[in-house]
Amino acid sequence: MTNSKQKYIPGQVVWETTLRCNLKCLHCGSSAGKARPNELTTKEALQLCNDLAELKTDGVCLMGGEPFLRKDWHIIAKQIKDLGMKLLFISNGYNISKEIISKLKELNPHSVSTSLDGAKAEIHDYIRGVNGSFEKVMKYISLSKKENLPTTIITTVSKLNLKELPEIRDIILNKQIAWQIQIATPEGRFTNKFALSKEEYYSVALFIASMKKKYSVKELPVIGAHCFGYHSQHLPWLGLYQGWDGCQAGISILSIKSNGDVIGCLSTPEAYIEGNIRNKSIIEIWNDPNAFAYNRKFKVEKLGENCKDCKYGVTCKGGCLGMSYGFTNKPHNHPYCFYKIEPELLQKSK
């Protein structure tokens, strides 16, 4: 299959540039810490950038681990920009210096996201596993805004910080900081012990919906991540785009691990790895007609017990694949779907 005839476009690529990290987050699905022994070289990374551009990729998000711990991060980022693709970063904010900020300004990224998991050091530092991480991320946020970088806050919600949401809101309100709220999923270091119940999950959705109604986009640009939904009978759509067309892994989303493994979504098990760019180019892997079959060739017969016989099954495909595996160890089986849990919760409240 040639690129002129390619059926799918990887609009958004999520690239784990290194597994090395300077924090020990309790909810880290990758159990990041040490770099993989066989991470891509600079030469391999630059070729990967070229191939992604040939695939008509719209944007590339560099993450980790901690992306700024990779010595050649700026070289890779510049290549992405020079090839005309949008450049995004996800960082923990711990390692960011004035030098890194200066390089980011030169690169003019589409977005720089950092994690804020508590409104005070006690909570944030506990979740992040390193004392002083709250102070450092707050300094980064201040510096980022001072230098007019497009700043986004990501909050990953669990039982540990559910009650922190209103105070985090107060920290970023009217500061032109975008806010993405997502759910901690049982994988990697994160266990079911701190996972949200259905009631708690829905309370977060209610919080997001109320914030979207109360504040303008200018005052508080807030969204729920792809783990929220779907087909609520009472809530508006919480994400960036209207509606849910099923998991986009392997359709419009592509992920790459630091060793060159190619997978639709980094939140899915290793069984979903489609190949490695050291054996086949990303172009060959992406355009393989048999690749990403779980989504590209999805059939309703694959729906799990939570989604079986649902009228939205054909398009929804059982919701977020990462949530499905994290909570049920099965694909196409999202357990917290609004359409299913709303009647249950409303019945309990009577």
CSV table of all heavy atoms in Angstrom, one decimal, residues 184-187 190-192 195 267-269 320-331 335:
chain,number,residue,atom,x,y,z
A,184,ALA,N,-7.2,7.5,36.8
A,184,ALA,CA,-6.1,6.5,37.0
A,184,ALA,C,-6.7,5.1,36.8
A,184,ALA,O,-7.7,4.7,37.4
A,184,ALA,CB,-5.6,6.7,38.5
A,185,THR,N,-6.0,4.4,36.0
A,185,THR,CA,-6.4,3.1,35.6
A,185,THR,C,-5.5,2.0,36.2
A,185,THR,O,-4.3,2.2,36.1
A,185,THR,CB,-6.4,2.9,34.0
A,185,THR,OG1,-7.2,4.0,33.5
A,185,THR,CG2,-7.0,1.6,33.6
A,186,PRO,N,-6.0,0.9,36.7
A,186,PRO,CA,-5.2,-0.1,37.3
A,186,PRO,C,-4.3,-0.8,36.2
A,186,PRO,O,-4.7,-1.7,35.5
A,186,PRO,CB,-6.2,-1.2,37.8
A,186,PRO,CG,-7.5,-0.4,38.0
A,186,PRO,CD,-7.5,0.7,36.9
A,187,GLU,N,-3.0,-0.3,36.2
A,187,GLU,CA,-2.0,-0.9,35.4
A,187,GLU,C,-0.7,-0.4,35.9
A,187,GLU,O,-0.6,0.6,36.6
A,187,GLU,CB,-2.2,-0.6,33.9
A,187,GLU,CG,-2.1,0.9,33.6
A,187,GLU,CD,-2.2,1.2,32.1
A,187,GLU,OE1,-1.7,0.5,31.3
A,187,GLU,OE2,-2.8,2.3,31.8
A,190,PHE,N,-0.1,1.3,39.5
A,190,PHE,CA,-1.4,1.6,40.1
A,190,PHE,C,-2.3,0.4,40.3
A,190,PHE,O,-2.5,-0.4,39.4
A,190,PHE,CB,-2.2,2.6,39.2
A,190,PHE,CG,-3.4,3.2,39.9
A,190,PHE,CD1,-3.2,4.1,41.0
A,190,PHE,CD2,-4.6,2.9,39.5
A,190,PHE,CE1,-4.3,4.7,41.6
A,190,PHE,CE2,-5.8,3.5,40.1
A,190,PHE,CZ,-5.6,4.4,41.2
A,191,THR,N,-2.8,0.2,41.5
A,191,THR,CA,-3.6,-1.0,41.8
A,191,THR,C,-5.1,-0.5,42.1
A,191,THR,O,-5.4,0.6,42.3
A,191,THR,CB,-3.1,-1.7,43.1
A,191,THR,OG1,-3.3,-0.8,44.2
A,191,THR,CG2,-1.6,-2.0,42.9
A,192,ASN,N,-6.0,-1.5,42.1
A,192,ASN,CA,-7.4,-1.3,42.4
A,192,ASN,C,-7.7,-0.7,43.7
A,192,ASN,O,-8.7,-0.1,43.9
A,192,ASN,CB,-8.1,-2.6,42.3
A,192,ASN,CG,-8.6,-2.9,40.9
A,192,ASN,OD1,-9.2,-2.1,40.2
A,192,ASN,ND2,-8.2,-4.1,40.4
A,195,ALA,N,-8.4,2.9,43.0
A,195,ALA,CA,-9.2,3.2,41.9
A,195,ALA,C,-10.6,3.7,42.3
A,195,ALA,O,-11.1,3.3,43.3
A,195,ALA,CB,-9.3,1.9,41.0
A,267,SER,N,-1.5,2.5,26.7
A,267,SER,CA,-2.2,1.9,27.8
A,267,SER,C,-2.7,0.5,27.6
A,267,SER,O,-3.3,-0.1,28.5
A,267,SER,CB,-3.4,2.7,28.2
A,267,SER,OG,-3.0,4.0,28.6
A,268,THR,N,-2.4,-0.1,26.4
A,268,THR,CA,-2.8,-1.5,26.1
A,268,THR,C,-1.6,-2.5,26.4
A,268,THR,O,-0.5,-2.1,26.4
A,268,THR,CB,-3.3,-1.6,24.7
A,268,THR,OG1,-2.3,-1.1,23.8
A,268,THR,CG2,-4.6,-0.8,24.5
A,269,PRO,N,-1.9,-3.7,26.6
A,269,PRO,CA,-0.9,-4.7,26.9
A,269,PRO,C,0.1,-4.9,25.7
A,269,PRO,O,-0.2,-4.6,24.6
A,269,PRO,CB,-1.7,-6.0,27.1
A,269,PRO,CG,-3.1,-5.6,27.5
A,269,PRO,CD,-3.3,-4.3,26.7
A,320,CYS,N,-13.1,3.1,25.7
A,320,CYS,CA,-11.6,3.2,25.8
A,320,CYS,C,-11.0,1.8,26.1
A,320,CYS,O,-11.3,1.2,27.1
A,320,CYS,CB,-11.3,4.2,26.9
A,320,CYS,SG,-9.5,4.2,27.4
A,321,LEU,N,-10.1,1.4,25.3
A,321,LEU,CA,-9.4,0.1,25.4
A,321,LEU,C,-8.6,0.0,26.6
A,321,LEU,O,-8.5,-1.0,27.3
A,321,LEU,CB,-8.6,-0.2,24.1
A,321,LEU,CG,-8.3,-1.6,23.8
A,321,LEU,CD1,-9.7,-2.4,23.5
A,321,LEU,CD2,-7.5,-1.7,22.5
A,322,GLY,N,-7.9,1.1,27.0
A,322,GLY,CA,-7.1,1.2,28.2
A,322,GLY,C,-7.9,1.0,29.5
A,322,GLY,O,-7.5,0.2,30.4
A,323,MET,N,-9.0,1.7,29.5
A,323,MET,CA,-9.9,1.6,30.7
A,323,MET,C,-10.5,0.1,30.8
A,323,MET,O,-10.6,-0.5,31.8
A,323,MET,CB,-11.1,2.6,30.6
A,323,MET,CG,-10.7,4.0,31.0
A,323,MET,SD,-10.7,4.2,32.8
A,323,MET,CE,-12.4,4.2,33.2
A,324,SER,N,-10.8,-0.4,29.6
A,324,SER,CA,-11.4,-1.7,29.5
A,324,SER,C,-10.4,-2.8,30.1
A,324,SER,O,-10.8,-3.6,30.9
A,324,SER,CB,-11.8,-2.1,28.1
A,324,SER,OG,-12.4,-3.3,28.0
A,325,TYR,N,-9.2,-2.7,29.6
A,325,TYR,CA,-8.2,-3.7,30.1
A,325,TYR,C,-7.8,-3.4,31.6
A,325,TYR,O,-7.7,-4.4,32.4
A,325,TYR,CB,-6.9,-3.6,29.2
A,325,TYR,CG,-6.9,-4.7,28.2
A,325,TYR,CD1,-7.2,-4.4,26.9
A,325,TYR,CD2,-6.6,-6.0,28.6
A,325,TYR,CE1,-7.1,-5.5,25.9
A,325,TYR,CE2,-6.6,-7.1,27.6
A,325,TYR,CZ,-6.9,-6.8,26.3
A,325,TYR,OH,-6.9,-7.8,25.4
A,326,GLY,N,-7.7,-2.1,31.9
A,326,GLY,CA,-7.3,-1.8,33.3
A,326,GLY,C,-8.2,-2.3,34.3
A,326,GLY,O,-7.8,-2.9,35.4
A,327,PHE,N,-9.5,-2.2,34.0
A,327,PHE,CA,-10.6,-2.6,35.0
A,327,PHE,C,-11.1,-4.0,34.9
A,327,PHE,O,-11.7,-4.5,35.8
A,327,PHE,CB,-11.7,-1.6,35.0
A,327,PHE,CG,-11.4,-0.3,35.7
A,327,PHE,CD1,-10.8,0.8,35.0
A,327,PHE,CD2,-11.5,-0.2,37.1
A,327,PHE,CE1,-10.5,2.0,35.7
A,327,PHE,CE2,-11.2,1.0,37.8
A,327,PHE,CZ,-10.7,2.1,37.1
A,328,THR,N,-11.1,-4.5,33.7
A,328,THR,CA,-11.7,-5.9,33.5
A,328,THR,C,-10.7,-6.9,32.9
A,328,THR,O,-11.1,-8.1,32.7
A,328,THR,CB,-12.9,-5.7,32.5
A,328,THR,OG1,-12.5,-5.5,31.2
A,328,THR,CG2,-13.9,-4.6,33.0
A,329,ASN,N,-9.6,-6.4,32.4
A,329,ASN,CA,-8.6,-7.3,31.8
A,329,ASN,C,-9.1,-7.9,30.5
A,329,ASN,O,-8.7,-9.0,30.1
A,329,ASN,CB,-8.1,-8.5,32.7
A,329,ASN,CG,-6.8,-9.1,32.3
A,329,ASN,OD1,-5.9,-8.4,31.8
A,329,ASN,ND2,-6.6,-10.4,32.5
A,330,LYS,N,-10.1,-7.2,29.9
A,330,LYS,CA,-10.6,-7.6,28.6
A,330,LYS,C,-10.8,-6.4,27.7
A,330,LYS,O,-10.9,-5.3,28.2
A,330,LYS,CB,-12.0,-8.2,28.8
A,330,LYS,CG,-12.0,-9.5,29.6
A,330,LYS,CD,-13.5,-10.0,29.8
A,330,LYS,CE,-13.5,-11.3,30.6
A,330,LYS,NZ,-14.9,-11.8,30.8
A,331,PRO,N,-10.7,-6.6,26.4
A,331,PRO,CA,-11.0,-5.5,25.4
A,331,PRO,C,-12.4,-5.2,25.2
A,331,PRO,O,-13.3,-6.1,25.5
A,331,PRO,CB,-10.3,-6.0,24.1
A,331,PRO,CG,-10.5,-7.5,24.2
A,331,PRO,CD,-10.4,-7.9,25.6
A,335,PRO,N,-16.1,-0.7,31.8
A,335,PRO,CA,-17.1,-0.9,32.8
A,335,PRO,C,-17.8,0.3,33.4
A,335,PRO,O,-18.8,0.2,34.1
A,335,PRO,CB,-16.2,-1.5,33.9
A,335,PRO,CG,-14.9,-0.9,33.8
A,335,PRO,CD,-14.8,-0.7,32.3
